[in-house]
Amino acid sequence: MLARASIQHSPMNTQHMQFPHLKPLVACTAFLLVLSMQAASVKGWLHWRGPHQNGTSDEINLIEDIELGGKNHLWSFEMPGRGEAVIADGRVYAWGYEGTGPDLREYLTCLEESTGKVIWQYGFNDFLSDTVYNRYTVGAVTVDEETGNVYLMSTVGEMTCFDRDGKLLWQHSMMERFGMLTFPNGRRGAAVIDGDLVIHHCITSYWGAQGPARDRFFAFNKRTGDLVWSSTPGTPPKDSSFSSPVLGYYNNKRVLYAGTGCGNLVAVNTRTGDPLWRYHFSYGGVNSSLLLHDNNKIIAIHGKENLDSSEVGRMAAIKIGAEPLKGESGPVVLTKEQELWRLPHVMFTSSPVLVEDKVYQVTHTGELICVDANSGKELWHHKLENGQLHASPLYADGKLYVPMGNGNFYILRLKNDGVDVLDKVKLAGGCLGAPTVWNGKIYVHSMEKLYCFGNTEKRAKPLMAKTIKPKISKGEVVKLQVVPPDVLLAPGDNARVRVTGLDKDGWVVDRRVRPDWDSFIPPTAKVKSKADASFTRGNRIRADKEGSTSAGAFKGTDGDASGILRARILPGLPFKEDFESFTINETYPSSHREAGVNYAYPPLPWIGARFKWDIRDMESNKVLVKTLDNVLFQRATSFIGHPDSSNYTLEVDVMTDGNRRMKSNVGVINQRYVIALIGNWQELEISSNHDRIKVSVPFKWSTKKWYRIKSRVDIDGDGSGVVRAKAWPRDEAEPEKWTLEVPHKVAHPKGAPGLYGFSPQTRYSVYVDNVSVYPNE
């Protein structure tokens, strides 16, 4: 990447640095949304919503006007971005992107607060995503106040933790590990940190009970990266959501509140992941972050259809306070009676700010409105522009700092009956993120550069927010928390789990529990499956050395308390699958598009395979078949191996149905590259994201005929690589030369093997057989 920082009040001072992957130089830092009365170890604006979780700051003596290139324009850093800068202990963390085509990458950049000079950078590739039109970095990092660690989920879902020197501490590919789905809008948002947990949410389609697509929350141990819990509080999603959770306390519980891609507002116990309640607020996804007012109401806005009226959009206050009765599972479904007030305002993705008892929001028509948080009365409105998208306002020093999608940036002084426009400047590039503030400086990231504005003459010492933690009472142990609650093992591997005893509110009572473990099949499970694994002493699970591809659950019991561990067993390299061991014992019902067809479910531990593939008899063989009953599943991206796999060759037999005019696509996933036969275009194609890498050559292939695909990825010492693929009729000899070879400057160094199928309009099936994955020779 080519990075350039410029000091604006002197002759152009530029800095050019190349970062092929990571060059750690100095330090990063930390975040906690709600702080105790003890002094914070790291100070700054540590989350994009600020220390009060509502887009407000306590700083004073901030700038009232801007002279681009003038004295209070302290520096700029030239890197496009669509989110927010985060500041901690003299460091600025910006998430942006650079490059074009296959060389475009996202970069987490650590800058000096005083100069904007680069300290270190880390690059992320795009892969297997639906992101289009450079919709990258719609979100921000989060910094941990206690450890000094930095957390970011990339657009493609790499949940990553860095230490203060930019060293990678842990990372999960949410797509390959937990079945995360991607969307063209690229919205990612930011994590929140609560105690020892870092929490994010995304839409996933995983396995077993978590197979159906839902907007799920994932809590990881912030130090180790171990999954602590995952939660499914909503309903089937309509959209993605980057609504940042807001944290509070209710009835002796620690609770997060957020909007979801299914249009619900949800409340989740942050210590256990147990859903408490949900309110179906919108037909589409809720992307704006919520406001917690007086700890008794949530204030939210959306820009989609309402479920109870023909109007589009709504701002409303929802009374909090529901939770499941003893012995019942959540969430409790709230009704319209929980609404305290509503207004007919529309905003898709911009979040409101809360100043004492007043809510300030820019609507999608460019109106700045002021609403009484208690009564819902609109106090005044002021027209700024003709429209607004993502960007949210910032309140500080009696002023609102408001960026707009067209690049205009307003500084507004608040009055009882409106605002005075102190300044309006045109920044380079549109603004989709919120301004942030720390140590007398205002930061705005546009789609061209990161700006730093500040007052060099008057400066007040910034204050960290302090919230008194309520007194927590603990009861007896009623449930066990197993960490991690989901493991992925290869035959012969083992993993130790930690088991703690929790009370009814999720607080730890006993930190060292050694329960009795037994295999467990949930009564609602459609696939009655057991994992080829067993428990040994010390809460250690071990996969059988000769174990097969399998998945299942275990229940740990200690007295009346219990907890669940889910386990997947996937073979290491080499492995094969010809589907002959499966028993065809299911039949589609009369209501199904393929009524009467006999089938078996695909391997349970394969991610993204359920409902998209099944196994059927064909010409005395058993083969994997792409299902056609649901248009939402016309494309299948299914992972069949470990996310950390690398340096392997993948071979498979494929076939498509169709006719002269229309055919389907089928292929494999090798180290985050798709190698597929494209039916309608009669091509062999290598891609990763179609806007980034998409190269093809003519390849004539016919319906109802088996072909063999072979692929491998070779990585050089400098990080570059070559993706190689060949295809040929299965009944012919393998060609000596590769059909297609595609170089990639910064190649994907690892990635789970997988299968790919696309049946446009769910018209024609594709077929897969004789899968073989083995180390490169």
Side-chain angles (χ1 to χ4, degrees):
M1 173 198 171
L2 185 63
R4 183 172 67 183
S6 57
I7 307 300
Q8 295 291 343
H9 52 78
S10 63
M12 186 63 73
N13 178 3
T14 60
Q15 174 181 342
H16 300 270
M17 304 182 70
Q18 295 289 335
F19 300 89
H21 189 59
L22 168 67
K23 294 207 174 193
L25 299 177
V26 200
C28 290
T29 24
F31 162 80
L32 245 185
L33 274 175
V34 179
L35 305 174
S36 69
M37 295 299 291
Q38 298 177 348
S41 60
V42 175
K43 295 180 173 62
W45 189 274
L46 306 175
H47 183 270
W48 81 273
R49 290 291 275 169
H52 300 296
Q53 308 183 85
N54 59 15
T56 66
S57 168
D58 299 320
E59 292 205 28
I60 60 174
N61 294 330
L62 298 176
I63 58 172
E64 297 188 347
D65 56 32
I66 291 172
E67 182 183 354
L68 292 174
K71 189 174 182 181
N72 66 5
H73 185 178
L74 303 181
W75 52 263
S76 294
F77 179 72
E78 295 190 16
M79 179 177 66
R82 297 169 183 250
E84 295 80 17
V86 168
I87 306 94
D89 275 4
R91 307 300 167 97
V92 179
Y93 300 95
W95 188 28
Y97 57 94
E98 282 286 346
T100 59
D103 298 327
L104 186 145
R105 308 188 80 203
E106 295 180 326
Y107 288 91
L108 169 57
T109 305
C110 180
L111 306 165
E112 290 183 358
E113 178 188 343
S114 58
T115 66
K117 292 182 178 180
V118 175
I119 299 173
W120 57 262
Q121 282 187 317
Y122 186 96
F124 297 86
N125 279 3
D126 186 7
F127 58 88
L128 304 178
S129 83
D130 295 317
T131 306
V132 296
Y133 307 134
N134 287 357
R135 289 173 175 166
Y136 293 101
T137 68
V138 186
V141 305
T142 300
V143 184
D144 178 34
E145 172 265 343
E146 181 188 5
T147 64
N149 292 340
V150 181
Y151 301 86
L152 174 69
M153 186 186 291
S154 70
T155 299
V156 79
E158 291 184 286
M159 183 67 198
T160 310
C161 172
F162 304 92
D163 74 2
R164 54 189 297 117
D165 297 317
K167 179 183 177 182
L168 180 67
L169 297 181
W170 55 262
Q171 184 177 73
H172 296 291
S173 172
M174 299 298 292
M175 179 190 297
E176 297 163 294
R177 180 62 179 85
F178 298 106
M180 190 198 82
L181 308 180
T182 65
F183 296 84
N185 56 55
R187 295 191 291 258
R188 182 52 57 217
V192 296
I193 296 176
D194 187 45
D196 56 353
L197 302 178
V198 54
I199 305 170
H200 216 312
H201 70 113
C202 54
I203 295 177
T204 66
S205 176
Y206 194 29
W207 72 275
Q210 295 186 9
R214 295 290 188 274
D215 195 341
R216 293 186 170 89
F217 291 79
F218 292 83
F220 300 97
N221 182 292
K222 68 183 183 182
R223 290 179 173 84
T224 66
D226 287 343
L227 180 67
V228 177
W229 55 256
S230 62
S231 177
T232 311
T235 54
K238 301 294 184 180
D239 190 10
S240 60
S241 169
F242 68 168
S243 174
S244 288
V246 58
L247 301 171
Y249 288 94
Y250 169 75
N251 196 22
N252 203 51
K253 297 177 180 64
R254 188 64 163 151
V255 182
L256 70 81
Y257 306 94
T260 64
C262 55
N264 280 276
L265 310 179
V266 301
V268 176
N269 186 321
T270 67
R271 309 320 299 167
T272 65
D274 292 336
L276 300 178
W277 57 259
R278 68 174 177 87
Y279 179 62
H280 209 163
F281 186 52
S282 164
Y283 182 78
V286 178
N287 278 278
S288 299
S289 295
L290 313 183
L291 296 174
L292 178 60
H293 181 244
D294 285 348
N295 207 37
N296 62 18
K297 72 174 75 71
I298 287 293
I299 298 173
I301 192 169
H302 75 82
K304 299 293 186 178
E305 298 176 38
N306 288 299
L307 280 77
D308 58 0
S309 74
S310 59
E311 293 178 335
V312 172
R314 181 196 319 177
M315 175 183 278
I318 313 301
K319 181 181 179 180
I320 65 176
E323 59 180 304
L325 297 175
K326 183 178 180 180
E328 296 183 357
S329 59
V332 174
V333 180
L334 304 187
T335 65
K336 186 178 178 180
E337 283 66 37
Q338 296 296 114
E339 275 197 19
L340 301 174
W341 54 260
R342 76 161 67 177
L343 293 171
H345 289 298
V346 181
M347 175 41 71
F348 299 98
T349 49
S350 175
S351 297
V353 299
L354 179 66
V355 183
E356 296 180 344
D357 291 328
K358 293 180 179 179
V359 178
Y360 299 94
Q361 173 77 63
V362 181
T363 70
H364 83 119
T365 58
E367 293 271 356
L368 172 64
I369 61 172
C370 175
V371 176
D372 185 293
N374 291 306
S375 67
K377 179 181 178 181
E378 184 177 317
L379 302 177
W380 52 260
H381 63 273
H382 179 90
K383 186 73 169 179
L384 293 175
E385 302 281 348
N386 290 326
Q388 178 66 315
L389 187 58
H390 293 320
S392 305
L394 163 73
Y395 170 84
D397 194 22
K399 299 181 282 287
L400 286 176
Y401 296 86
V402 186
M404 305 298 291
N406 61 7
N408 286 334
F409 184 68
Y410 289 84
I411 302 178
L412 309 172
R413 183 179 300 282
L414 292 175
K415 303 186 300 183
N416 289 333
D417 59 352
V419 297
D420 288 330
V421 179
L422 300 180
D423 200 9
K424 171 187 174 182
V425 296
K426 182 75 170 180
L427 304 180
C431 297
L432 298 182
T436 54
V437 58
W438 186 254
N439 198 26
K441 301 181 181 69
I442 303 289
Y443 299 88
V444 187
H445 206 160
S446 78
M447 286 188 281
E448 288 193 18
K449 61 180 71 176
L450 172 65
Y451 291 90
C452 175
F453 305 112
N455 193 333
T456 58
E457 298 175 356
K458 300 178 181 179
R459 185 175 303 167
K461 182 178 180 180
L463 301 175
M464 292 292 287
K466 294 181 180 180
T467 299
I468 298 176
K469 181 179 178 180
K471 184 178 180 180
I472 299 298
S473 61
K474 295 185 178 182
E476 62 183 11
V477 173
V478 299
K479 66 181 297 184
L480 303 183
Q481 185 172 69
V482 182
V483 178
D486 184 287
V487 296
L488 171 61
L489 300 173
D493 285 351
N494 68 87
R496 183 177 180 272
V497 298
R498 300 182 304 279
V499 183
T500 54
L502 307 181
D503 70 4
K504 66 181 181 61
D505 296 320
W507 302 111
V508 174
V509 179
D510 187 349
R511 294 189 177 276
R512 300 185 68 181
V513 180
R514 292 193 174 182
D516 295 322
W517 292 98
D518 290 297
S519 182
F520 174 70
I521 299 178
T524 58
K526 290 188 176 181
V527 180
K528 311 298 183 183
S529 173
K530 295 184 178 181
D532 286 345
S534 58
F535 267 87
T536 61
R537 297 181 60 183
N539 288 331
R540 188 172 295 277
I541 182 173
R542 185 181 300 277
D544 298 345
K545 285 186 177 181
E546 304 300 324
S548 61
T549 298
S550 60
F554 295 85
K555 177 183 281 189
T557 304
D558 184 51
D560 294 331
S562 64
I564 300 296
L565 171 71
R566 294 173 9 124
R568 290 194 298 143
I569 314 300
L570 288 173
L573 304 182
F575 69 89
K576 295 181 178 182
E577 181 58 73
D578 63 7
F579 309 106
E580 295 302 322
S581 64
F582 288 80
T583 302
I584 309 295
N585 56 3
E586 304 285 342
T587 303
Y588 285 121
S590 58
S591 59
H592 196 276
R593 177 176 172 178
E594 298 179 276
V597 171
N598 299 321
Y599 70 98
Y601 289 108
L604 187 59
W606 286 9
I607 302 306
R610 182 79 175 274
F611 306 119
K612 299 177 182 179
W613 304 93
D614 61 29
I615 298 168
R616 305 180 193 178
D617 285 314
M618 176 179 284
E619 299 174 352
S620 302
N621 291 313
K622 293 174 184 175
V623 301
L624 191 70
V625 183
K626 177 73 184 63
T627 59
L628 299 175
D629 62 302
N630 191 332
V631 70
L632 296 177
F633 298 153
Q634 61 182 323
R635 183 181 60 178
T637 301
S638 306
F639 299 105
I640 65 175
H642 289 257
D644 292 332
S645 300
S646 62
N647 194 38
Y648 58 86
T649 298
L650 176 53
E651 296 191 45
V652 65
D653 293 341
V654 298
M655 184 173 69
T656 182
D657 282 340
N659 54 41
R660 184 173 59 86
R661 290 191 168 196
M662 191 171 190
K663 303 176 184 66
S664 295
N665 306 339
V666 62
V668 299
I669 302 166
N670 189 324
Q671 212 159 298
R672 299 177 177 175
Y673 300 93
V674 175
I675 298 92
L677 291 174
I678 311 300
N680 292 340
W681 292 96
Q682 293 289 283
E683 293 176 338
L684 175 64
E685 178 185 275
I686 292 176
S687 65
S688 190
N689 169 294
H690 277 195
D691 277 8
R692 306 273 72 83
I693 298 174
K694 180 184 177 183
V695 182
S696 61
V697 294
F699 185 88
K700 187 174 179 59
W701 61 303
S702 305
T703 61
K704 304 292 187 180
K705 182 176 180 178
W706 286 100
Y707 292 81
R708 188 75 171 167
I709 293 177
K710 181 177 181 178
S711 71
R712 62 181 286 163
V713 180
D714 296 288
I715 307 295
D716 293 331
D718 62 357
S720 65
V722 179
V723 188
R724 295 180 166 91
K726 64 174 69 173
W728 67 96
R730 185 175 67 176
D731 56 3
E732 297 180 8
E734 176 184 342
E736 182 178 349
K737 294 183 178 180
W738 294 100
T739 311
L740 180 59
E741 298 183 81
V742 177
H744 191 187
K745 183 178 179 180
V746 183
H748 308 318
K750 61 182 180 180
L755 302 175
Y756 173 82
F758 179 55
S759 300
Q761 304 172 35
T762 61
R763 293 283 300 277
Y764 297 106
S765 289
V766 294
Y767 306 86
V768 172
D769 199 6
N770 297 317
V771 180
S772 178
V773 188
Y774 53 91
N776 288 342
E777 298 173 349

